[in-house]
Every structure is written in C-alpha cells, then in structure tokens.
Amino acid sequence: MISHSRNATRLRASPNFVQALTLDGRAYIAKETEPYHQFWLNERYRILLALFSVRRGLTPQQAIARYYRLTQVEPSAAENRRLVKAIADMQASEVLISSHADTSRYDESMANYYLTYRPFPSALTAHMVKAAGIESHTRILDLAGGPGDLAVQLAQVSDAVELMELSQGFLAAARARADALGVKLETIHESCNRLHYHDAHYDVLTIAQAIHWLDDVLLCRGICRLLAPNGSFFVIQSIIEVDDKHPLAYLLGHNSILGAKTPQPFIEDVRPLWRRLGLLFDALDSPGVEHVDVRYAAESLSQKIVPVDIKLFTQVRPFDQGFAQGFLTPKHIQATGLEPNAFWQDLAARCADATPAQLLGTHHWAVMQFQRGGVAMDFLEIAKRQAQSIEFTLGTA
Ligand SMILES: C[S@@+](CC[C@H](N)C(=O)[O-])C[C@H]1O[C@@H](n2cnc3c(N)ncnc32)[C@H](O)[C@@H]1O
C-alpha cells in the first residue's frame, strides 16, 4: 500500500541510466557506466519512468495519480499493486533514486579543496566572454561544471547561467557560492550524456576538463539540439606537466601510477579532440530538423556547427597537497592499491619535504570554440600560435 504521507520521499529517474530502443522498438534502459545493468521496460514501467524524470521528482503517490490521469486506466486495487511493485522494482535496481541521493564519486567534502586549489582561470572566462560576445541576457549552460567556478564567473556577466552536473554535493557548493556572491545560477542535477533529452536553447555551452568522462557522441547530439544559431560551444581541455623530480610525479607525471602519459607538445593533445568533435558535428548536426523553433529565421537554422578557434594558455603553479585533495577521489586512491590513510600520510610527507619551487609545475590549457554558422578554421594555422602565459592565484570556497 502506498503511503499517503505528505512527507513521502520523492523519487526521480537516476541520471546514471539512459533510455534506448532496440531496433524493433522495444524500450530498455541501461546503466551508462560499469557494470552496464540493463532493464527491459514494459509500458507501465516506461510511463512511470517518464513521470519520475522531472527535476524535483515525485512521490510514489503522485506518480500513481498521474499514471491514472495520463493512461486513463481505471484505478483498481490490482493495478495499484502492480504500480507499487513496478516502483519498488525500479527503486531496488537504482533506476529510481531519492531526489536528494548523490550518485557521484565527488561529494561535498571535496568542494572546498576543489574551489580553493583548482580555481577556474579567470583569463579563460574573459576570453570566452569576448569570443562569444556574452552579455547580461546570454543563455549559458556549463556542463559537468563541478563545484561551479566557471559557471559562477559567467554568472557575474550573464543573468541566465545554468550548471548541469552529476554530483549533488558539487551543485550544493555551487549554489552556496552563487548566493554568497549575489549572482543568479540555476543548477540541474543530470547526466550530460542525457543532454539531448532537454529542450531549451542556449547561446553558449561550455564544458571544462570533463569531456573525457562523457560519451562524446551523446554529448554532441545534445549540443546539436540545444545550440542556438550563431551560438558557441567551448571545450576546455587541460594537461598537467611536472618534471620527474616533482614530489607528486608518481601521480601527475609521465609515468603516473594512475596511467602513463605520452610526453608531447600540448597542441598534439588538443589535435585529436578538436578533429573528433569537428567530425562528430559534421556527421550528427542536421540543422533545421532538430531546431524547429519559430524564433529563428530559416537560413540561420541551416547553419552547421564548425570548429572556429583554439586559444592556448600556460599557467605555472604549485601542485601540492591541497591540489591533490581537490583532485583525487577515493576511487583514484583505490586504483593505486594503497590504503587511504597510508596514501595521504605518504603524500603529505613528500610535500612537506619539498621546497615551494620543487612543487611548481605547468598547467596547459586550451579553449576550443565551435560555432553554429561560424567560419571553420584550419588546425595548422592555429597550431602556429603562441600560448598566453597566465597567473595562478588560489580560489575562494
Ligand atoms: C574534473 S571535474 C571538472 C569540473 C569543472 N568543469 C572544472 O573545470 O573544474 C569533472 C566533473 O564532471 C562531472 N561529471 C562526470 N560525469 C558526468 C556526467 N555524466 N554528467 C554530468 N557531470 C559529470 C563530475 O561530477 C565532475 O564534477
């Protein structure tokens, strides 16, 4: 029996599952990360899942009432039992989660370290504001924006900034920071792999240091759907470079225990992503089909998204214990095979023994710009440009 309490927990569709159709049209949902659970959905489950796919979620009681209204099925005790069972099944398999549940490995306790030791460089934001002509009414969505440093910087220029992120903890930190600074920021707890289910249009979309976590095909499908005429999509990629004598070289260096990196000029790290995204937009973007929007003139709807610019930056900065605390999640530490306390004690001792100069390294940044209806730029031309050197200052949580 469903509780009629006003305080019944609100449930919502977990952002970790995507809904898909088989070739013969049967609906299923699959977890988009390991271990790739799959669930077949009959009509009852499919409708319930759609009803629970709203931002604030619904109580089971509300979902059942809406199910009856939508389907016009005659309410009965037997149908109630089936609906309650369907909701319980989806809850047990974590397809439905509590509206407040966090499915991310980033919790709120990391947010302060993140905001302090991994501030988003304001020079990159200034570049995007200028390149896209961002003004107070520009509609902006920052994707996988972490605790929201970039989004909050953008919110100081525009009143229409939204932040989409998987970690509830990071979203709460971003809201608190926006409130403290008196800027407007809308937050969306959602997987960016589900962007193409959203309907709004944006003049600017950004994604910083996160595209490697996402399914880039799904992401680009979403961008194709949401990017307004003349709108820009910025992809920020970064690489840390420390020499082999750096105290954290075992984590951040070329032979990191978290995965080896090929030593090469930074522009060679940028090239494959720039090329891949350009090809994906060329293949996936069907302007005018997905962008049926009466606000836009027909000719602006026929323009494709093309790669238009890359701006490079270098930043010399300390990579120290604080940075590690804003960078490494318990999952990273698990991957090292070390016990967490021992891991952090060892790391602290390595940093304590080092001079400030020994803790320095270089953070390389690239801001790639893709624009609907822009003029495509040749990579070889861009590769000749010098990187701009920028300062590092600690952020504020
Ligand atoms: C390295 S952080 C980058 C955060 C921020 N953009 C920045 O530049 O500091 C990666 C972020 O991606 C988020 N993330 C990972 N997978 C995601 C997904 N499928 N949808 C939304 N956010 C996701 C993580 O929660 C994390 O906050």
Side-chain angles (χ1 to χ4, degrees):
M1 185 67 193
I2 283 285
S3 157
H4 283 247
S5 151
R6 280 179 147 270
N7 299 324
T9 309
R10 282 175 174 269
L11 301 174
R12 55 176 296 231
S14 163
N16 293 33
F17 287 83
V18 282
Q19 188 178 338
L21 299 172
T22 59
L23 287 180
D24 59 0
R26 282 185 303 152
Y28 69 99
I29 44 171
K31 197 165 184 198
E32 61 177 24
T33 51
E34 284 280 14
Y36 302 113
H37 295 302
Q38 277 191 358
F39 301 94
W40 298 99
L41 299 173
N42 67 23
E43 197 61 0
R44 185 179 298 109
Y45 283 64
R46 198 183 61 71
I47 292 170
L48 283 171
L49 184 66
L51 290 170
F52 280 112
S53 297
V54 286
R55 262 195 214 185
R56 291 189 57 234
L58 295 176
T59 63
Q61 185 196 351
Q62 289 170 321
I64 290 177
R66 287 183 197 193
Y67 178 91
Y68 282 130
R69 269 209 305 280
L70 187 74
T71 58
Q72 308 218 323
V73 167
E74 194 60 39
S76 68
E79 184 59 18
N80 263 356
R81 274 196 299 278
R82 285 191 282 270
L83 289 167
V84 170
K85 179 176 181 316
I87 294 170
D89 282 352
M90 288 197 277
Q91 231 185 317
S93 48
E94 295 175 3
V95 169
L96 293 181
I97 55 173
S98 149
S99 293
H100 303 294
D102 207 345
T103 58
S104 160
R105 63 188 171 143
Y106 291 99
D107 62 20
E108 203 166 355
S109 66
M110 260 188 89
N112 281 355
Y113 287 113
Y114 203 115
L115 289 164
T116 308
Y117 296 98
R118 298 179 67 184
F120 190 82
S122 56
L124 276 63
T125 312
H127 163 71
M128 290 186 271
V129 167
K130 194 165 170 219
I134 295 175
E135 297 175 343
S136 62
H137 57 272
T138 307
R139 297 160 301 176
I140 305 174
L141 176 61
D142 182 37
L143 300 163
D149 202 18
L150 168 59
V152 166
Q153 290 182 33
L154 290 167
Q156 287 164 11
V157 185
S158 163
D159 294 330
V161 180
E162 297 177 24
L163 163 63
M164 182 179 283
E165 169 50 55
L166 202 53
S167 159
Q168 293 268 36
F170 276 180
L171 287 176
R175 281 191 298 270
R177 195 138 172 275
D179 285 350
L181 293 170
V183 295
K184 217 171 130 207
L185 178 67
E186 181 92 13
T187 56
I188 310 171
H189 181 224
E190 173 65 293
S191 168
C192 298
N193 288 334
R194 290 160 42 109
L195 197 59
H196 55 285
Y197 293 119
H198 291 250
D199 279 330
H201 280 100
Y202 297 94
D203 306 302
V204 172
L205 289 113
T206 53
I207 183 162
Q209 310 183 87
I211 206 164
H212 52 289
W213 294 117
L214 302 178
D215 179 325
D216 56 7
V217 178
L218 290 178
L219 176 73
C220 287
R221 276 182 59 198
I223 301 291
C224 292
R225 197 167 143 69
L226 269 53
L227 190 61
N230 301 320
S232 285
F233 172 47
F234 291 101
V235 180
I236 293 100
Q237 194 181 2
S238 85
I239 288 275
I240 295 164
E241 186 188 345
V242 294
D243 69 33
D244 292 341
K245 294 201 198 76
H246 188 285
L248 301 185
Y250 70 112
L251 293 168
L252 306 176
H254 296 126
N255 293 315
S256 166
I257 52 175
L258 299 171
K261 293 186 257 182
T262 319
Q264 59 182 0
F266 177 50
I267 192 74
E268 293 308 323
D269 289 309
V270 177
R271 185 201 293 260
L273 184 58
W274 164 266
R275 187 172 145 71
R276 179 167 169 83
L277 294 176
L279 289 172
L280 280 175
F281 285 131
D282 193 43
L284 296 172
D285 202 12
S286 317
V289 177
E290 298 219 56
H291 292 267
V292 182
D293 190 319
V294 288
R295 283 169 301 174
Y296 303 129
E299 63 274 21
S300 61
L301 292 177
S302 64
Q303 295 174 321
K304 279 204 167 202
I305 301 172
V306 294
V308 296
D309 194 27
I310 306 177
K311 176 110 177 118
L312 301 175
F313 299 85
T314 50
Q315 186 181 43
V316 174
R317 58 154 296 170
F319 291 101
D320 50 13
Q321 186 179 348
F323 177 85
Q325 281 165 306
F327 184 71
L328 300 167
T329 63
K331 282 237 167 98
H332 283 117
I333 295 159
Q334 214 178 5
T336 68
L338 295 170
E339 193 274 317
N341 281 342
F343 173 88
W344 285 112
Q345 273 170 18
D346 169 65
L347 188 142
R350 288 173 192 250
C351 292
D353 286 345
T355 63
Q358 286 169 335
L359 287 165
L360 292 178
T362 305
H363 210 159
H364 298 273
W365 297 90
V367 181
M368 294 174 234
Q369 183 177 5
F370 299 82
Q371 190 181 12
R372 184 177 292 295
V375 179
M377 177 74 112
D378 182 27
F379 183 83
L380 293 176
E381 279 305 308
I382 294 172
K384 290 184 203 149
R385 295 192 196 150
Q386 291 291 312
Q388 180 184 330
S389 150
I390 54 172
E391 303 267 299
F392 173 77
T393 37
L394 285 177
T396 43

